[in-house]
Amino acid sequence: MNKDQQPQDLNEHEQQEHSAVDDSNEVPAEQQSLSAEQQTISELQAALAKAEATVSEQRDSVLRAKAEMENARRRAETEVEKARKFALERFAAELLPVADNLERAVQLADHENESLKPMMEGVDITLKSFISTIEKFGLNVIDPQGEAFNPEKHQAMSMQESADVPANTVLAVMQKGYEINGRLLRPAMVMVSRASEGGVDIEA
């Protein structure tokens, strides 16, 4: 090798070393592609998690709104039912004197008078029809003759000693009571028995 060729060989050697250094610093294309895919997957997972959180929040909002609507509907139905029952109770209470008067007419009539018999039969039929009609709307008669005294449904107007029936038995009904849809509208006014030795006190 002569002197003229030595610098050229050195330059080629330096270029090879420099090329090797550059190649060592470069990231392989496969690794770059894999890294990009991982980043994309991470972004998609984050977007999915966010979407699921949004859907869950919206579902909770819908369920809460549905529950509130259901509660409002039930409250409205309850108020309507209360108003209906209150109106019906007032109307029924106004009808009770009619029933009382018809019953009183039947009780006080002279049943021996043949001339009055057709009229009294008509009054009796009217009374039965009237009671049958109001019962269709939940109104029930309280007629406790011979039953045990019940302070929740009966009002004791007087007491009388009796050896024929147990104490606290209803001896007579002075005025029938009524209840509507299970609620007391008017207590029955009654006479109650008591034992001859003193009996039991009864709250009127």
Side-chain angles (χ1 to χ4, degrees):
M1 178 179 298
N2 57 32
K3 293 181 180 180
D4 294 335
Q5 291 177 342
Q6 186 175 0
Q8 183 178 357
D9 293 339
L10 289 174
N11 289 336
E12 291 178 355
H13 181 68
E14 289 177 358
Q15 289 177 359
Q16 290 176 355
E17 290 181 351
H18 187 269
S19 176
V21 172
D22 291 343
D23 291 342
S24 63
N25 291 332
E26 290 181 358
V27 178
E30 293 181 357
Q31 292 184 2
Q32 290 180 352
S33 177
L34 181 61
S35 177
E37 289 178 357
Q38 290 176 343
Q39 183 177 0
T40 301
I41 291 173
S42 298
E43 291 175 353
L44 290 174
Q45 289 176 338
L48 178 60
K50 184 177 180 180
E52 289 177 344
T54 301
V55 170
S56 178
E57 181 179 352
Q58 291 178 347
R59 182 171 60 249
D60 292 342
S61 299
V62 170
L63 291 176
R64 285 195 298 270
K66 184 178 180 181
E68 290 176 358
M69 289 178 61
E70 184 66 18
N71 291 335
R73 182 185 65 80
R74 290 177 180 175
R75 286 195 298 269
E77 288 180 352
T78 300
E79 293 300 323
V80 170
E81 183 65 15
K82 286 182 179 179
R84 186 188 69 82
K85 285 185 176 181
F86 178 71
L88 186 59
E89 286 180 7
R90 291 188 59 187
F91 178 69
E94 294 296 327
L95 292 178
L96 297 187
V98 178
D100 293 339
N101 292 333
L102 289 173
E103 286 184 350
R104 195 172 294 112
V106 172
Q107 292 171 357
L108 299 179
D110 184 3
H111 297 280
E112 300 299 326
N113 190 336
E114 292 295 327
S115 62
L116 295 178
K117 187 174 181 180
M119 183 183 68
M120 296 317 302
E121 287 178 352
V123 174
D124 188 54
I125 292 173
T126 302
L127 173 61
K128 290 178 181 178
S129 177
F130 180 79
I131 297 299
S132 176
T133 300
I134 61 178
E135 285 178 346
K136 293 179 181 178
F137 294 90
L139 196 66
N140 295 318
V141 180
I142 301 175
D143 187 8
Q145 180 73 39
E147 298 178 4
F149 177 77
N150 182 355
E152 293 182 357
K153 295 184 177 183
H154 311 153
Q155 182 177 352
M157 305 303 293
S158 63
M159 299 183 68
Q160 180 175 313
E161 293 182 1
S162 176
D164 299 328
V165 296
N168 296 331
T169 298
V170 176
L171 294 175
V173 178
M174 303 169 184
Q175 186 180 66
K176 293 179 181 178
Y178 289 87
E179 60 182 3
I180 183 168
N181 295 320
R183 293 182 59 181
L184 184 65
L185 188 61
R186 187 182 75 183
M189 297 181 181
V190 299
M191 176 189 294
V192 185
S193 67
R194 67 181 180 188
S196 58
E197 60 267 25
V200 180
D201 291 337
I202 297 177
E203 294 184 2

